[in-house]
Amino acid sequence: MSPLLKLTSVTKSFGAVRALKGVSFDLRAGEVHALLGENGAGKSTLIKVIAGAHQPDGGTLEIGGQRVTQLTPQAAHRLGIACIYQQPALFPDLKVSENIGLRLEPISLLRRINWAARRERAAQLLQRLGADISPDAEAGSLSMPEQQLVEIACALGAGARIVIMDEPTASLTQTEQHRLFAVVRDLRADGVGVIYISHRLDEIFALADRVTVLRDGESVGTRDVVARPSSVVRRVPNERSARPHPGPLPQGEEVSQPATGLTKHATFADPLTTILPLPAGEGRGQGERVLEPAGLSDSSPPPITESELIRLMVGREVSSIYPAAESEPGEVVLSLRELGCTASGVKKITLDLRAGEIVGLAGLVGAGRTELARVLFGLTPADSGEIQLNGHPVSIRSPQEAVTQGIAYVPEDRRRHGVILEMPIAHNLTMAIHPRLFPGTWLRFGAERTHALEAMHDLAVKAAGPDALGGSLSGGNQQKVALARWLATRPRVLILDEPTQGVDVGAKSEIHKIIRRLAQEGMAVLLISSDLPEVLGMSDRIAVMRGGEIVAMMPGGSDAHAVMAAALGQDRGES
Amino acid sequence: MSFRFPKSAVLRHEAILLLVLVLEVVFFRVAGRNFGTVDNVANIVRHSVEIGLLALVMMPVILTGGIDLSVGSLLGLCAVLFGKLWRDAGLPWEVAALTTLGLGALAGGFNAALITGLRLPPLIVTLGTYSLFRGLAEAITHGTDAFTRFPETFLFLGTGRIAGVPTQAWIFVVLAIAVWLLVHRTTFGRSWRAIGFSPEGARYAGLSVGRRLTFAYVLAGLMAGLAAITYTARFGTAKADAGTGYELAAITAVVLGGTSIFGGVGSVHGTLLGVAAIAVLSNGLSRLPATMSNAAELSGLLTGVLLIVALAGGALPGWIAARRGRRNATPSVPATSGV
Amino acid sequence: MKRHFRELSVTGALLLLLLSLAIFAPNFFEPQPLLSRLTAAAPKLVVACGIALVILCRQIDISVGSLFAVCSVSAGLLAAAKLPLPVAVIASVTLGAVGGALNGALVAGVGLPSIVVTLATMVTWREGLRLTQQGVFVNLPDGVQWFGLPMAAGQGIVCGLALAVLLALAYALRFLSVGRFVYAVGSDAEAARLAGIRPRLVTFGVFVLLGALTGLAAVMNLVQSPQVDPGTGRMLELEAIAAVVVGGVAVSGGRGNVWGVLAGFLLLACITPALTYLDVKPYWDKAIQGAVILLAIVADGVRRRKLNR
């Protein structure tokens, strides 16, 4: 039996950027195949290729055993592919029922719309998901998880055979996650192939049958996943298709146990698929699916462990790569007292930040870390509590005031916020120091160039020159430019938001060294990162956020499990 | 020193425009009657000063990714206010003129407040004030009143000469240099450009986006006030319909001059070339025997066609590349709300 | 209910205006002048409906006034050349559609911003017309005015056409898939593409339809007088956009309907006669219209700010 979907050596470039350098991947009916990789590894591009939103430059794509070229979103839709993007692609101005209707009804121009039937169908689908959403609500008024549920309802309604989910749990509460997992298992039981993208390892071990790891645009391995903490013995009619080996319990030194305590229902629609060898050229030498020792294969690798997974993602062991602190932190520079901002959901933050200290902000996506940074930088000013700098209360109502007070913020989304892509590097580098570099508002091109060259030299920015456009740089170099822009303001407090996201390994460790050096020179650094090893390795202290609050303070080098447990909480509940 | 924006496309655009201008001049000198005379050159300058002034300030507005459709109406309103202040309030014309400038700036501030304060699209806001300002001008003059018989000293502004050059040309040259410096040599221009490329990026860079935007629109209002003064001095009358359609002429000159309607890219010298190309065209056509009788219409028509060609010409390379590259690229149907 | 707050509040304002007219100036409601006024306004309503489509699609078109004039003069010249009136009607609608297609091709095909494209075509059409027509009025032969029918019947036809357009668009926007595509594209073009809709095609089609409606409106206007003024249609685009914006169609696209446009249109159309009847000086007309438009825009802005909070 051929797989539902098979990609062989797929490549895709955007201009000079090679997003996919040869990805091979396959999906069988009735399996959950996790796709894992750091940000920028090419996951999004890959799923867009599968969904027909991007045309691959090279390689082959087979759906249901048929070679497919020139796949369009419509064709993908017809072939039973449904994609649930991280940012739900709904029409904010239209009702939920219409959002579902537009996806499911045939695309013809002069068809009469039956609103009652639309509404009825939407209500049924939503009910099947157990979602408490009115079909008459405007999609734009729904919360992010609700919008995702609407997307899943669309996929359900379309009778999709291949469902792609891009980090579906990123903003879900625990209860919603449970419900989602149940939905995914139902889909699997119905013989649907699910591509599940997540960076939460606990989810992958709870839900996935196989995992493929992407790194720098290449697939570096496809492996079996065995459920933890215990695998369920499957009842299969054919005794040749033995059940997966429970395998050794993973050591899991990096990421916590799944707080959900979920177990996998290993219900495969087609047991034969479990003994099919992986297609040649797939992964790197992982030949076959894991079988009972007495089974067919005697040389297949054991199911993957968490540390192996992390190693595959990162490309090397993750220990001992972080520069250590060499001096004691000094005076308290920044002090937050019960700081809150209703608009962005930041609540009662109390935190001290010392000179020369790196405080890591850990937490899940949506826990309020970026929101806190935005409050401190005056983008969404606080409406309660107090900010003190060097012991004096200050008011920060705008980014300009934050800059004046010596607070710098290197934002998460560097392509939209960190660097202006259409402007030369030199202009980007001097943008935050106009008053100092250009007294009397007159531009001084000579001084600007000198400054730019120095800054580029300091952080080893690789570029054609200071006149090269920001958009021509690689991710890591863009990040360095964004950082250098703020270092030029000589801040007392530096807030870094995901400074190494989508940055290649080499640049990543350079950025780590720079951050440590800055702290060494007396800067107070607040480091926001979703990369748990990074937070653990870099921080002198770690503040864990959940639901807009700091829920735990831990010393640097704390146990990953403890941090993760605090970040997950018992149940985050609705906020 | 070379310009700091060596966007080759822009330079090429301006070089082509300069070539067009030179060809126009050569053609009309050969074919036209009295085109090259001192009087006629003075005439060209006199007639294009108001639109030139508006184009000078439209350029920074468009550079920020915005647009101001209200400047023509504001010119009318300011002209009427000036007449009212001078004739009915009995102010000396100098004082009335200064007050008018202030009121123009205030009206620009009103636009800016709606755009930056309520985050409304500039296109729609200034479309509203376009109606409002013209309506107020009509209300003040009761639709028919016209202010005339201004003192000679005032009319000198619009009809006199200093050192053989029309008075308002001096004003224009000074302001053109000032705006050029502002856009190309100060942090204001740098900020406008940054905002035009990426308003969010500019905000995250700590630039005071609101204040810089406000400045651009206030400047536009102020200049509309000044244009109202020179307009009134040139015609000797102030009526409510003064400057009708001038906003379109100014936008045309700016876009023709290579400023991207999406913001970020453009130059003041390009805008000046755009103004000159249009002014020379319309004057030259009136000097050709064949087109003398309907030069105004013909130059208007050619300007419209030129604008389409300039726009399409600018977008075509990217369009062809997109066609050739991937048909499934993100649809680039631009939305008006961004303008 | 909350969804239609804007339409209802505009209708409320309109009713209030009509009520005050009924009390202070009851002769406003005399049938014949009222019908004349409605007939005169009908072509503008047709254009406003077309503009509403374009704005729903998150675009704008300011060239309709010029296109309106071009269509009027062309149809008038054909009628003056003794061609049958239906030929003139078809020619006018076709010419309008072609003009709309040019805008649509530049906006949806080449990807230029609609405001500049239609600014350019606005100038081009207007100046081209001035050049060829030199401001000369076109005298229409007998049998053109009121379609050669008695005046009341002609007025009936004109108003009926406007009503038909209104109803057809209201139906299409609500009950035909293509109408919903317009909302979808205006709400989020990328999401529309992912759903299998072709945003460029929809955008193009909307411009063509606006052009055709402009051509139709030109004929509806033409039959009301014995001559065609080549300067006709000035400010038409602004009146139409104002009606659409006041009627609650969001300039950010995807939100609004033609009933709101009707209410907004009538509200603005009633201000001028109301001013006369209520003894406010008519020269305040434009200023008040401008203020109403700004008020509508600001109301949108405030509402959006509240939503974002």
Side-chain angles (χ1 to χ4, degrees):
Chain A
M1 185 189 151
S2 59
L4 278 180
L5 174 78
K6 186 167 181 234
L7 282 82
T8 314
S9 314
V10 165
T11 58
K12 176 73 188 171
S13 300
F14 298 100
V17 182
R18 292 177 66 201
L20 298 180
K21 297 175 192 163
V23 173
S24 297
F25 179 82
D26 77 314
L27 178 71
R28 301 164 187 161
E31 78 163 344
V32 175
H33 194 149
L35 198 54
L36 194 65
E38 293 182 305
N39 284 311
K43 291 173 295 180
S44 307
T45 313
L46 181 63
I47 62 173
K48 282 193 170 157
V49 166
I50 298 171
H54 288 325
Q55 296 281 328
D57 301 331
T60 61
L61 176 62
E62 285 173 41
I63 297 171
Q66 297 286 318
R67 174 90 186 264
V68 178
T69 54
Q70 298 290 317
L71 189 67
T72 62
Q74 293 94 301
H77 185 247
R78 272 200 305 279
L79 288 166
I81 299 173
C83 187
I84 293 144
Y85 292 103
Q86 214 171 348
Q87 290 289 320
L90 298 179
F91 304 103
D93 303 295
L94 306 182
K95 288 180 182 179
V96 167
S97 57
E98 175 151 35
N99 267 288
I100 296 176
L102 279 170
R103 296 281 189 86
L104 301 185
E105 292 159 14
I107 299 288
S108 62
L109 291 178
L110 296 175
R111 191 173 39 76
R112 191 178 193 284
I113 285 159
N114 185 341
W115 287 92
R118 254 188 185 180
R119 195 180 179 287
E120 182 62 26
R121 187 180 196 180
Q124 272 177 8
L125 287 170
L126 290 169
Q127 197 177 3
R128 216 175 122 195
L129 287 176
D132 184 24
I133 300 171
S134 162
D136 297 325
E138 270 178 39
S141 71
L142 301 181
S143 68
M144 203 51 92
E146 286 175 325
Q147 295 195 20
Q148 269 172 347
L149 286 170
V150 173
E151 289 270 359
I152 296 171
C154 290
L156 269 184
R161 289 162 62 230
I162 299 170
V163 174
I164 308 166
M165 294 185 170
D166 189 0
E167 297 197 23
T169 56
S171 51
L172 298 193
T173 63
Q174 200 89 14
T175 339
E176 287 163 336
Q177 274 182 44
H178 280 281
R179 199 180 291 150
L180 179 80
F181 285 4
V183 170
V184 172
R185 291 196 186 96
D186 275 353
L187 290 174
R188 175 168 63 189
D190 291 343
V192 173
V194 178
I195 302 175
Y196 191 93
I197 296 173
S198 176
H199 54 223
R200 307 241 314 252
L201 299 187
D202 54 334
E203 283 181 17
I204 287 168
F205 280 98
L207 204 58
D209 302 302
R210 287 193 297 160
V211 56
T212 292
V213 177
L214 290 188
R215 191 172 70 226
D216 300 330
E218 288 176 281
S219 44
V220 292
T222 296
R223 298 281 294 271
D224 284 306
V225 178
V226 169
R228 286 187 316 148
S230 62
S231 76
V232 177
V233 177
R234 291 184 302 132
R235 275 168 269 287
V236 281
N238 185 344
E239 62 172 293
R240 281 192 58 198
S241 54
R243 66 176 189 270
H245 193 276
L249 278 178
Q251 275 77 54
E253 62 283 332
E254 300 298 340
V255 179
S256 74
Q257 295 279 339
T260 59
L262 288 164
T263 52
K264 190 177 75 168
H265 309 301
T267 44
F268 289 90
D270 179 8
L272 279 177
T273 57
T274 57
I275 56 162
L276 281 174
L278 287 175
E282 176 76 29
R284 285 194 183 155
Q286 288 84 23
E288 299 191 326
R289 218 174 145 75
V290 181
L291 300 168
E292 198 81 307
L296 295 170
S297 167
D298 51 358
S299 62
S300 58
I304 196 157
T305 62
E306 285 184 353
S307 57
E308 274 180 284
L309 254 186
I310 293 170
R311 195 168 51 239
L312 272 177
M313 279 168 70
V314 179
R316 53 176 159 50
E317 293 288 349
V318 287
S319 55
S320 73
I321 51 165
Y322 296 102
E326 287 161 15
S327 59
E328 287 293 304
E331 295 291 294
V332 172
V333 179
L334 177 76
S335 173
L336 311 178
R337 291 288 168 264
E338 307 239 312
L339 193 70
C341 171
T342 17
S344 58
V346 172
K347 292 171 227 156
K348 293 200 170 180
I349 299 291
T350 297
L351 181 69
D352 284 331
L353 198 54
R354 293 166 188 280
E357 182 184 42
I358 300 176
V359 171
L361 264 190
L364 301 178
V365 172
R369 297 167 303 164
T370 297
E371 287 74 10
L372 173 60
R374 287 171 51 92
V375 169
L376 293 178
F377 195 58
L379 287 159
T380 46
D383 53 18
S384 63
E386 195 177 63
I387 303 174
Q388 293 177 2
L389 271 166
N390 293 345
H392 304 292
V394 292
S395 149
I396 297 172
R397 316 290 311 165
S398 68
Q400 296 83 267
E401 286 178 7
V403 176
T404 321
Q405 298 293 347
I407 297 178
Y409 174 49
V410 182
E412 177 181 12
D413 187 343
R414 67 179 152 267
R415 295 183 67 82
R416 273 179 59 210
H417 301 145
V419 175
I420 294 183
L421 303 175
E422 298 90 342
M423 289 184 105
I425 296 170
H427 297 188
N428 269 299
L429 284 172
T430 56
M431 202 163 283
I433 50 165
H434 279 177
R436 196 183 81 216
L437 196 63
F438 308 130
T441 81
W442 293 103
L443 298 176
R444 289 158 60 221
F445 296 125
E448 178 167 56
R449 197 181 167 80
T450 315
H451 171 82
L453 286 171
E454 273 173 22
M456 288 167 72
H457 178 77
D458 258 11
L459 298 193
V461 175
K462 288 189 207 79
D467 292 330
L469 297 185
S472 68
L473 299 177
S474 71
N477 284 303
Q478 275 176 7
Q479 188 63 48
K480 286 183 189 171
V481 169
L483 184 58
R485 171 200 283 173
W486 287 109
L487 296 186
T489 67
R490 299 170 198 148
R492 288 182 282 183
V493 178
L494 178 66
I495 308 167
L496 300 166
D497 198 348
E498 305 286 358
T500 59
Q501 201 172 70
V503 164
D504 65 71
V505 175
K508 193 166 172 171
S509 94
E510 279 182 64
I511 290 171
H512 287 151
K513 283 189 193 116
I514 294 165
I515 297 172
R516 180 48 76 188
R517 192 185 84 205
L518 293 171
Q520 219 76 54
E521 290 166 10
M523 216 174 272
V525 180
L526 194 60
L527 173 67
I528 301 172
S529 175
S530 295
D531 186 345
L532 202 48
E534 178 174 282
V535 177
L536 297 174
M538 290 296 298
S539 310
D540 300 318
R541 286 187 300 144
I542 298 162
V544 185
M545 285 190 77
R546 189 174 75 230
E549 293 175 87
I550 292 183
V551 290
M553 286 299 302
M554 300 180 178
S558 288
D559 180 35
H561 292 181
V563 172
M564 207 56 186
L568 286 164
Q570 290 307 313
D571 189 309
R572 278 183 290 152
E574 307 276 350
S575 55
Chain B
M1 166 169 255
S2 68
F3 303 126
R4 283 285 116 177
F5 296 96
K7 279 235 157 186
S8 54
V10 175
L11 284 185
R12 225 181 305 141
H13 186 103
E14 283 146 10
I16 292 171
L17 197 58
L18 187 62
L19 188 70
V20 168
L21 185 61
V22 169
L23 287 176
E24 276 182 15
V25 170
V26 170
F27 174 75
F28 289 125
R29 282 222 58 165
V30 175
R33 241 178 253 162
N34 302 328
F35 176 78
T37 61
V38 175
D39 273 354
N40 190 46
V41 173
N43 204 16
I44 295 177
V45 172
R46 256 196 225 294
H47 278 87
S48 47
V49 160
E50 285 86 30
I51 288 173
L53 286 174
L54 295 182
L56 274 181
V57 284
M58 187 69 77
M59 190 270 163
V61 168
I62 294 183
L63 196 62
T64 65
I67 199 156
D68 190 343
L69 297 176
S70 72
V71 287
S73 300
L74 187 55
L75 192 160
L77 178 59
C78 284
V80 165
L81 285 171
F82 170 71
K84 199 84 180 161
L85 287 168
W86 169 74
R87 192 188 69 184
D88 297 353
L91 295 177
W93 74 262
E94 293 88 346
V95 178
L98 283 177
T99 315
T100 305
L101 294 186
L103 290 170
L106 201 66
F110 179 65
N111 279 333
L114 293 180
I115 291 164
T116 62
L118 288 175
R119 304 259 174 99
L120 290 167
L123 174 70
I124 291 298
V125 167
T126 57
L127 200 60
T129 52
Y130 167 95
S131 288
L132 182 69
F133 293 158
R134 185 70 69 191
L136 286 174
E138 284 183 6
I140 290 170
T141 58
H142 299 187
T144 50
D145 198 4
F147 302 91
T148 50
R149 290 199 246 159
F150 291 98
E152 276 305 313
T153 47
F154 171 69
L155 294 179
F156 180 76
L157 273 179
T159 53
R161 288 185 186 197
I162 297 171
V165 177
T167 322
Q168 64 263 59
W170 289 107
I171 300 176
F172 182 73
V173 168
V174 169
L175 286 170
I177 293 170
V179 173
W180 190 91
L181 288 172
L182 196 61
V183 170
H184 295 283
R185 286 290 180 270
T186 70
T187 56
F188 286 98
R190 183 65 67 75
S191 310
W192 285 331
R193 230 174 262 279
I195 294 167
F197 282 130
S198 166
E200 278 297 285
R203 207 158 95 87
Y204 274 84
L207 298 178
S208 40
V209 173
R211 260 179 273 163
R212 293 290 152 110
L213 277 180
T214 303
F215 181 54
Y217 286 93
V218 167
L219 203 61
L222 185 73
M223 207 69 108
L226 183 64
I229 306 287
T230 64
Y231 183 95
T232 309
R234 176 155 68 96
F235 286 100
T237 54
K239 287 196 299 180
D241 66 352
T244 305
Y246 276 26
E247 64 284 334
L248 300 185
I251 294 169
T252 307
V254 172
V255 173
L256 204 57
T259 300
S260 162
I261 198 75
F262 298 112
V265 179
S267 69
V268 173
H269 38 282
T271 297
L272 292 173
L273 285 172
V275 172
I278 294 172
V280 168
L281 182 68
S282 87
N283 178 279
L285 288 171
S286 72
R287 301 277 153 188
L288 287 184
T291 56
M292 201 175 268
S293 52
N294 36 35
E297 296 86 347
L298 206 63
S299 69
L301 178 68
L302 283 174
T303 307
V305 173
L306 261 177
L307 184 56
I308 296 178
V309 170
L311 278 171
L316 223 51
W319 183 67
I320 290 167
R323 287 268 129 159
R324 198 177 292 162
R326 50 221 153 91
R327 293 198 309 118
N328 57 343
T330 318
S332 60
V333 182
T336 48
S337 49
V339 173
Chain C
M1 218 44 186
K2 236 163 96 185
R3 249 179 107 79
H4 298 293
F5 177 74
R6 180 56 171 278
E7 284 86 352
L8 292 175
S9 56
V10 173
T11 312
L14 176 64
L15 289 178
L16 211 65
L17 189 65
L18 292 176
L19 187 71
S20 56
L21 276 169
I23 295 167
F24 298 110
N27 50 357
F28 174 81
F29 293 99
E30 275 172 30
Q32 196 44 53
L34 191 62
L35 183 60
S36 295
R37 222 176 261 126
L38 281 176
T39 314
K44 292 180 189 169
L45 177 62
V46 169
V47 173
C49 286
I51 292 264
L53 287 177
V54 169
I55 294 185
L56 277 178
C57 216
R58 212 173 179 179
Q59 302 293 340
I60 201 155
D61 188 337
I62 57 170
S63 71
V64 284
S66 301
L67 191 58
F68 182 85
V70 170
C71 290
S72 296
V73 168
S74 310
L77 288 173
L78 288 175
K82 301 287 185 221
L83 283 163
L85 192 57
V87 175
V89 175
I90 292 168
S92 178
V93 172
T94 312
L95 190 60
V98 169
L102 179 66
N103 286 335
L106 289 170
V107 172
V110 186
L112 296 171
S114 51
I115 176 72
V116 205
V117 166
T118 56
L119 169 64
T121 50
M122 168 196 194
V123 174
T124 310
W125 293 136
R126 180 65 70 191
E127 298 297 338
L129 189 63
R130 268 176 61 189
L131 185 64
T132 52
Q133 203 57 28
Q134 298 289 333
V136 178
F137 281 51
V138 181
N139 287 310
L140 296 173
D142 296 340
V144 170
Q145 196 172 13
W146 305 121
F147 304 100
L149 299 167
M151 182 167 142
Q155 287 178 329
I157 293 179
V158 170
C159 289
L161 273 174
L163 194 65
V165 167
L166 192 73
L167 288 174
L169 283 181
Y171 177 82
L173 283 177
R174 176 80 185 144
F175 290 112
L176 285 186
S177 46
V178 66
R180 302 316 295 176
F181 293 169
V182 172
Y183 284 90
V185 171
S187 189
D188 190 330
E190 177 64 10
R193 196 176 69 89
L194 291 173
I197 300 167
R198 296 171 66 187
R200 284 158 177 260
L201 205 61
V202 172
T203 307
F204 178 76
V206 158
F207 273 100
V208 174
L209 186 59
L210 169 60
L213 287 176
T214 307
L216 179 67
V219 176
M220 289 164 61
N221 188 51
L222 173 95
V223 296
Q224 298 187 30
S225 60
Q227 288 181 316
V228 181
D229 174 3
T232 186
R234 280 194 194 280
M235 303 290 145
L236 177 62
E237 58 280 345
L238 288 168
E239 288 178 48
I241 293 169
V244 170
V245 171
V246 171
V249 176
V251 287
S252 52
R255 198 180 272 273
N257 61 51
V258 284
W259 300 117
V261 175
L262 177 66
F265 180 80
L266 290 178
L267 180 65
L268 289 176
C270 281
I271 287 178
T272 313
L275 290 178
T276 330
Y277 280 105
L278 299 177
D279 213 27
V280 178
K281 294 282 177 286
Y283 45 74
W284 278 98
D285 179 28
K286 249 193 180 170
I288 292 175
Q289 301 240 5
V292 171
I293 299 168
L294 270 179
L295 196 68
I297 297 166
V298 169
D300 271 351
V302 171
R303 188 189 69 102
R304 233 192 19 228
R305 268 178 86 98
K306 276 200 184 134
L307 274 184
N308 288 348
R309 219 150 257 175

